[in-house]
């Protein structure tokens, strides 16, 4: 039930984000004709400095939308989750970095994508939000391929005072106390990793948390 609830929440976030992107891109396309008329007028009047500023502003707006809606990987579900979490980071002022050199993730189904990327990034966001006032955290995701293995690294800032200890299953013990959904996130993540005969490693040096996941890439056709 907890996994289904998490999957539904992620779907709703991604759909809402994609709808907002489509609305903003439609608005930009609608104004395209007016932008061209304004540029022609500035050219005709020889007003070069205002024209340069106008073009810079338009280019910046388009670049921002393209950056937010870009394809990080070949997996649409992963792209949607990364875009949604990246937007949350932007709104909260948390630097969010994604490196996806080995972005071939066609084999990863939606439920497993939510379990891995959704839970890991939710935990990273919570850790950054818990930083003392004035401290600026960050979140980094790196995806790379090593022969028949896919490596996924999540790294984020955390408060120095936050204690992270192993639980009975070897995963970090939950710090949220008792509750109907507490402690399920990393368990669901681990089960998704095991679905691909993978491994999960973590470490918590002072002020940081790193979660590394290795997945076996199924042969083509399986």
């Amino acid at each position: 039930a907890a996994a289904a609830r998490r999957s539904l929440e992620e779907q709703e976030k991604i759909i809402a984000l994609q709808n907002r992107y489509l609305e903003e891109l439609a608005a930009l396309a609608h104004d395209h004709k007016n932008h061209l008329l304004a540029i022609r007028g500035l050219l005709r009047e020889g007003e070069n400095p205002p024209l340069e500023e106008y073009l810079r502003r338009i280019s910046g707006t388009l670049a921002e939308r393209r950056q937010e809606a870009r394809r990080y990987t070949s997996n649409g579900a992963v792209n949607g989750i990364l875009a949604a979490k990246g937007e949350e980071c932007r709104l909260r002022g948390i630097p969010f970095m994604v490196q996806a050199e080995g972005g071939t993730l066609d084999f990863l189904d939606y439920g497993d994508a939510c379990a891995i990327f959704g839970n890991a990034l939710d935990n990273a966001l919570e850790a950054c939000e818990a930083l003392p006032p004035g401290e600026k955290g960050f979140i980094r995701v790196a995806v790379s391929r090593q022969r028949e293995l896919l490596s996924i690294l999540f790294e984020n800032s955390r408060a120095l005072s936050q204690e992270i200890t192993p639980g009975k299953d070897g995963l970090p013990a939950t710090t949220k106390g008792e509750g109907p959904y507490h402690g399920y996130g990393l368990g669901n993540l681990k089960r998704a990793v095991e679905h691909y005969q993978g491994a999960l490693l973590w470490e918590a040096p002072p002020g940081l948390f790193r979660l590394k996941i290795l997945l076996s890439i199924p042969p083509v056709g399986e």
Side-chain angles (χ1 to χ4, degrees), residues 65-77:
R65 296 266 64 83
R66 185 170 61 250
Q67 176 72 10
E68 291 171 356
R70 73 177 182 174
R71 289 172 56 89
Y72 292 103
T73 74
S74 63
N75 188 303

Side-chain angles (χ1 to χ4, degrees), residues 77-147:
V78 173
N79 294 340
I81 294 169
L82 290 173
K85 301 306 179 184
E87 178 68 2
E88 287 186 49
C89 287
R90 186 186 69 81
L91 294 174
R92 301 182 192 187
I94 301 171
F96 181 72
M97 297 154 279
V98 178
Q99 300 168 293
E101 297 175 358
T104 304
L105 299 176
D106 305 82
F107 66 92
L108 194 64
D109 71 31
Y110 187 86
D112 293 328
C114 285
I116 294 173
F117 285 85
N119 284 304
L121 290 173
D122 279 344
N123 289 341
L125 277 162
E126 290 174 4
C128 288
E129 287 284 281
L131 287 169
E135 289 191 22
K136 192 173 183 179
F138 75 92
I139 296 174
R140 185 171 76 92
V141 183
V143 180
S144 61
R145 180 167 180 165
Q146 303 167 4
R147 296 190 178 183

